[in-house]
Amino acid sequence: MESLFTAENTVLGIGNIILSDEGFGVRVVEYLEKNFTFPENVNLIDGGTLGVELTHFITGTQRLLIIDSIDGGAEAAKTFHLRGAEIKNHFAQKISAHEVGIQDVLTMLELSNKKIPHVELIGAQPFSLEAGVELTEPMAKLVPQFADKAVEILKSWGLEVRQ
């Protein structure tokens, strides 16, 4: 399967923006795009709820950072930073439709010998998954913090990101 992009590094925000805090990952990527400048070898992708179609956008990337609301059964606003096998274990719970999709994408890439060598996921426990196009106020306050965390991760990968 051919990739639509060739960036070595991808930041992927996923979530359903019509279910309030479920759209957290997308909102963080929007914030990053508006407030930071990235090297040419970094793609920022609003993955929304694309699911398996995301394969076209991340095939060939070497490092993938996924940003998402994460229902870990914890208190609202609890933060998560998962790596490697922890991500597979999380997605094995199949919390929501887009999470099933990203799990399938990662598995498909692995089975086709196009596994992404380095995958990290950051997210927060949502306050609400009710219908609504805005994040709840406390979740919205987490967006700049997660943007900063994403930048910190990218810098740890040796990338230069400017505000």
Side-chain angles (χ1 to χ4, degrees):
M1 178 169 293
E2 290 297 315
S3 173
L4 297 176
F5 299 100
T6 57
E8 292 177 21
N9 309 283
T10 302
V11 179
L12 174 65
I14 54 177
N16 188 337
I17 61 169
I18 64 169
L19 295 177
S20 57
D21 294 346
E22 171 69 15
F24 181 70
V26 172
R27 300 303 184 205
V28 173
V29 166
E30 291 171 348
Y31 184 92
L32 287 166
E33 288 175 327
K34 182 178 178 183
N35 294 285
F36 294 89
T37 303
F38 298 87
E40 288 185 18
N41 65 345
V42 176
N43 275 339
L44 275 72
I45 299 174
D46 167 355
T49 57
L50 282 176
V52 176
E53 295 86 1
L54 287 170
T55 307
H56 300 292
F57 298 97
I58 64 173
T59 297
T61 197
Q62 297 301 299
R63 291 180 290 225
L64 173 64
L65 174 59
I66 302 167
I67 306 172
D68 193 11
S69 62
I70 298 177
D71 189 349
E75 288 183 33
K78 176 171 174 42
T79 62
F80 299 88
H81 186 170
L82 308 174
R83 297 166 187 89
E86 295 173 320
I87 296 170
K88 276 192 167 189
N89 292 339
H90 166 72
F91 286 134
Q93 297 173 23
K94 299 185 179 184
I95 303 296
S96 69
H98 73 264
E99 289 184 341
V100 173
I102 194 67
Q103 176 191 14
D104 291 343
V105 167
L106 295 173
T107 300
M108 284 172 56
L109 291 173
E110 188 173 341
L111 293 174
S112 63
N113 292 319
K114 296 178 182 177
K115 179 179 178 182
I116 298 170
H118 185 92
V119 181
E120 295 186 47
L121 181 143
I122 58 173
Q125 179 76 34
F127 289 83
S128 171
L129 300 177
E130 297 294 317
V133 295
E134 300 292 328
L135 297 175
T136 60
E137 185 178 334
M139 197 74 164
K141 288 180 180 179
L142 294 175
V143 169
Q145 290 174 241
F146 272 79
D148 289 344
K149 178 66 175 171
V151 168
E152 178 185 310
I153 291 168
L154 294 175
K155 286 181 175 181
S156 78
W157 294 354
L159 301 168
E160 184 179 329
V161 180
R162 295 186 313 269
Q163 192 156 4

